[in-house]
Amino acid sequence: MMGDGILLFLALWPMAGALVCYLIGRRNKELRSLAADGVTIVEFGVLVFLLLQVIGGRTYDFVWEDFCGLGLVLKLDGFRALYGLIAAWMWMMTTIFSKEYFAHYRNRNRYYLFLLVTLGATVGVFLSADLYTTFIFFEIMSFTSYVWVAHDEKAESMRAAATYLGVAVIGGLVMLMGLFLLYHTVGTLNMDMLLDACRKAMDARPYDHQVYLQLFIAGALILFGFGAKAGMFPLHIWLPKAHPVAPAPASALLSGILTKVGVFGIAVVSCNIFLHDASWGGLILMLGVVTMFGGALLALFSVDLKRTLACSSMSQIGFILVGMGMQGILGEENALAVRGTLLHMVNHSLIKLVLFMAAGVVFQNLHKLNLNDIRGFGRKKPALCFCFLMGALGIAGIPLWNGYVSKTLLHESIVEYTHVVAAAGGSVGLWKAVEWTFLLSGGITVAYMLKLFIALFVEKNGDSQLQAKYDGMTRYMNGQSSFALIGSAVVLPVMGFLPGIVMDGIADLGQSFFHGMAPEHAVHYFSLTNLTGAVISIGIGLVLYFGVVRLWMMKDSTYVNRWPAWLDLENLIYRPVLLGLLPGVCGFLCQILDRYLLNGFVKVFLAISSVVCRCMDHLVDSIIVLARKTTHRQTTASKRRVVNDRIAYALGLLCDDCILIMNKTVRRKRPIETSTIPRLMELEERIVTTNRLIGSSMSFGLMLVCVGLCLTLGYLLYSYIV
């Protein structure tokens, strides 16, 4: 190991702290919460110090050459220090907020354990200096954050968690294939060396497009993996499902920072492998436009507070991808697109921290999220109203708030390229459509945030007694929660009121990561030209709210979900294909291969592979069973209803009769008072559940093996043909 060990400390300190906090929590819950706060505060403090050092001109590097063969490489520059600090800030605030939010939850110890481990993995991703290191921390982060979604273990939570994990696993496998292909093509995964390595690979064979095609395929596979985490269409299916069921502090992190891990990876590919590449930029732009508009539309139709915010996250990721696409299309003249992309990443992280914690205040008091149930809760609650309003104004792009600055830069980058096309005599119809889709998506954002604000803070609940109860809640959050929420909210207007100082400073700090340069002229954010785009979006939003939401999406003063129930990509396409069609097709192909094509050696090889896969699958099952007995142990119920636990019930009656005889004879002085029936019933249920879990795990493992074999076969055929 060589370099600055403090970088490794930043990744491992939260993980070590997680184990310590878990052990403390077994004895003292209060001390555990304080210890978790301390871990995040130390992480934040160290990153503040390092950011100041980076601003002063210093860089940090760390290399662990022998780690897992390819090594572990970390680096701290302006962008990495900035986003590491944002991650630490968000974790610190949500950890402080979590104490009150989880006061009546069970499995709190498990939550804190995985919360802090995920912090270490996330910081590790942002500090990574090569894609192999990124992949290691990325996979740790994906698996540990799964526990957040499944935290309350209800049926809808487990289904949403399964979707989240399925997308993460498939995305990770596809990404890994892309990394293999990229390393095979250019010989490195180091981010600082990728740009030169890719150019040299293409310059070595200037008349052969095969290298570029291989790079494009590798980039597309890596984009698939990172895009799944970012919530990019059509891999967004986990976002609307996971957020409503996950605890609010976890939702703030899933939306605000874990999606940016995906954006981080997309930025690495776009700005190192395909720097100033118009074809790649066009692909990212197309995906960004669809994600931006689709997410906004889903949010407009939603009548669930956290689902609306989740779909909003998908839309805002689309805005960021639009900026990243414009970077490639504009080429070297992409200063506005670079700064807009970076600033909207930062803005969205900080805004969603505020909005999801505000939603958490609502849920911890009412345990409801439907707009019809929570309507009027925020009346006579000025602190909550202020915080939610800051987030709403920021994400809607209202002038003088931070979201306005980044959206203005993104909009102007589209306008700039439209002028370039017009000056060259080209058709600008497509770019006008992109611009108006951008403005329309901004207008939809205004409409759904206006819907949420009016429902929570302006309208009265239809039940007058319930409204009186809401109005009488004066202690709806404690001092710690107030500090976390208000402290996060006041940052947003400061950034928007002083864009030339705060926002431009942030952009200057991080733009080198995107290979961007400062614009030739200072941007006048509040000029009439720049204000025009915001005014158009605000106008569209008002028309949509009063013309569509109030007239069509409400019936008898009740919010109605007008979105067609059948129009769900997960249930319509993904589950039928992955769980129905794909296993059937693969099984048919395996039969054909076995009957007509495979020789004896290949059959022996596949048999050995099958044994190895089964051993690995049993190992995973053992780990799952161990987790069910430790970190995922369920609370023992004192009384249970007899439903189908006939064996346990009968055996329990027999044991109780034996105990009764013993109490009248050998244990008269110290009789046994408890019944064995509940324990035996629980044991039987655990056995049945574990067997079902193992069966599901084996099925899922075999499906993944099947997918991997198909992809490998496809790649071999492609290599043979080429």
Side-chain angles (χ1 to χ4, degrees), residues 376-386 457 470-473 476:
F377 172 79
R379 292 169 60 89
K380 299 183 180 182
K381 296 178 179 60
L384 181 62
C385 180
F386 167 79
F457 300 100
Y470 291 168
D471 292 343
M473 289 184 180
Y476 54 92

Side-chain angles (χ1 to χ4, degrees), residues 497-704:
F497 279 34
L498 302 170
I501 299 175
V502 181
M503 303 296 274
D504 285 351
I506 292 174
D508 292 338
L509 182 65
Q511 66 186 6
S512 61
F513 180 81
F514 297 87
H515 297 283
M517 302 293 291
E520 297 180 358
H521 305 286
V523 179
H524 300 288
Y525 293 107
F526 302 111
S527 66
L528 182 61
T529 302
N530 289 330
L531 286 169
T532 301
V535 171
I536 292 174
S537 289
I538 293 171
I540 293 173
L542 293 174
V543 171
L544 288 174
Y545 177 76
F546 290 105
V548 177
V549 174
R550 303 300 299 187
L551 297 181
W552 182 58
M553 294 184 178
M554 295 187 71
K555 183 178 180 181
D556 298 329
S557 299
T558 300
Y559 292 96
V560 180
N561 184 3
R562 298 288 188 180
W563 188 262
W566 60 268
L567 193 54
D568 184 319
L569 285 182
E570 179 185 354
N571 297 326
L572 192 64
I573 297 177
Y574 287 108
R575 284 184 178 269
V577 170
L578 292 177
L579 301 181
L581 179 62
L582 188 61
V585 171
C586 291
F588 175 75
L589 291 177
C590 289
Q591 291 181 2
I592 297 297
L593 290 172
D594 181 65
R595 181 171 298 181
Y596 298 108
L597 299 179
L598 298 181
N599 56 37
F601 175 78
V602 176
K603 288 183 177 181
V604 172
F605 173 76
L606 290 179
I608 296 173
S609 300
S610 176
V611 172
V612 173
C613 290
R614 286 178 180 273
C615 292
M616 294 300 294
D617 193 55
H618 282 299
L619 176 62
V620 173
D621 292 333
S622 300
I623 295 173
I624 292 173
V625 172
L626 178 63
R628 296 285 293 182
K629 293 181 178 180
T630 55
T631 58
H632 287 65
R633 184 174 62 242
Q634 296 183 357
T635 303
T636 304
S638 59
K639 294 182 179 180
R640 304 185 59 88
R641 293 177 57 190
V642 179
V643 184
N644 293 319
D645 305 314
R646 297 177 180 177
I647 297 177
Y649 184 69
L651 185 59
L653 288 177
L654 179 61
C655 292
D656 286 352
D657 291 339
C658 294
I659 290 172
L660 182 61
I661 295 172
M662 292 172 60
N663 289 341
K664 292 182 178 180
T665 55
V666 296
R667 295 188 64 95
R668 283 183 295 179
K669 294 183 178 181
R670 297 177 62 188
I672 300 173
E673 302 293 341
T674 58
S675 172
T676 60
I677 293 177
R679 293 183 180 180
L680 290 174
M681 291 174 65
E682 182 186 4
L683 178 62
E684 182 181 5
E685 183 179 343
R686 284 185 180 181
I687 293 173
V688 173
T689 303
T690 301
N691 290 337
R692 189 182 300 116
L693 182 66
I694 292 173
S696 301
S697 177
M698 291 182 63
S699 300
F700 186 66
L702 290 174
M703 184 193 73
L704 290 180

Side-chain angles (χ1 to χ4, degrees), residues 230-306:
M232 178 187 72
F233 180 89
L235 307 171
H236 66 282
I237 56 172
W238 65 271
L239 265 172
K241 305 293 178 66
H243 283 287
V245 299
S251 293
L253 297 174
L254 284 167
S255 174
I257 202 71
L258 264 65
T259 55
K260 304 310 176 301
V261 171
V263 174
F264 171 85
I266 297 173
V268 171
V269 174
S270 300
C271 300
N272 291 284
I273 303 176
F274 301 105
L275 181 65
H276 303 157
D277 188 300
S279 299
W280 179 263
L283 172 64
I284 300 296
L285 177 66
M286 177 188 68
L287 293 172
V289 168
V290 177
T291 304
M292 173 182 66
F293 179 76
L297 201 62
L298 287 172
L300 183 66
F301 276 81
S302 174
V303 295
D304 182 283
L305 175 58
K306 286 178 65 179

Side-chain angles (χ1 to χ4, degrees), residues 391-403:
L393 294 174
I395 202 169
I398 305 301
L400 297 179
W401 271 263
N402 56 340

